[in-house]
Amino acid sequence: MKIAIGNDHAGKLLKDETVVYLKQHDIEVLNVGTDTEDDVDYPDYAIKVAELVTNQTVDLGILICGTGIGMSIAANKVKGIRAANIYDKQTAMLAKKHNFANVITFGARTHTKEQVYQLLDTFLHTEFESRHLKRIDKIKEIEE
Ligand code: RB5
């Protein structure tokens, strides 16, 4: 599995910690986030990850900002992206099972490293339920 990860200045530290988790789990990581804490604009990183997902360079995108909210709003503007701001075990599970999220977002100001590791455990080990495909198709119709 290959994952692209992007972040703004607020998400820099949590990004580094998330990369550690991904590498420990033998996941190939493409880091396109900022590597300093100098102010940047999160949409610039959301688009980078979103495009790597839609052109199928990677299997999944992870975006980290202060809350994960701005990143999910920006990423969801890109056709084909289903970005979900996951924040507990249930949303981590359902974002995959029902929504087939292809980008997940985290908040460095709202989640600890330990919480993010648990959310990744849940999301990555949950399967999409195909009975929800007709709803995904309706989202695609909205995009057209
Ligand atoms: C940056 O201060 C902050 O606004 C950003 O990281 C994010 O939380 C936006 O949603």
Side-chain angles (χ1 to χ4, degrees), residues 8-11 39-40 42 64-71 73 107 109:
D8 69 358
H9 52 287
D39 254 35
V40 292
Y42 60 82
I64 305 172
C65 59
T67 58
I69 296 172
M71 284 294 199
I73 292 171
R109 294 173 182 152

Side-chain angles (χ1 to χ4, degrees), residues 27-125:
I27 294 170
E28 199 179 333
V29 183
L30 195 50
N31 171 23
V32 293
T34 183
D35 283 312
T36 77
E37 292 185 358
D38 298 340
D39 254 35
V40 292
D41 299 324
Y42 60 82
D44 297 338
Y45 298 89
I47 184 77
K48 286 184 195 204
V49 167
E51 287 180 344
L52 288 166
V53 171
T54 55
N55 70 23
Q56 298 180 351
T57 302
V58 296
D59 307 296
L60 176 73
I62 297 177
L63 285 165
I64 305 172
C65 59
T67 58
I69 296 172
M71 284 294 199
S72 65
I73 292 171
N76 276 319
K77 299 295 179 195
V78 178
K79 189 175 173 181
I81 291 299
R82 294 179 302 280
N85 184 206
I86 60 177
Y87 52 87
D88 60 15
K89 195 174 168 72
Q90 191 169 33
T91 54
M93 193 251 291
L94 293 176
K96 173 68 82 58
K97 208 174 191 177
H98 288 194
N99 311 115
F100 205 15
N102 52 14
V103 171
I104 52 175
T105 73
F106 296 120
R109 294 173 182 152
T110 53
H111 283 90
T112 64
K113 162 182 92 168
E114 289 76 18
Q115 287 169 327
V116 166
Y117 288 4
Q118 284 176 356
L119 295 176
L120 282 169
D121 278 342
T122 300
F123 183 85
L124 295 174
H125 292 104

Side-chain angles (χ1 to χ4, degrees), residues 50 129-130 140:
E129 267 180 7
S130 58
K140 287 181 186 158

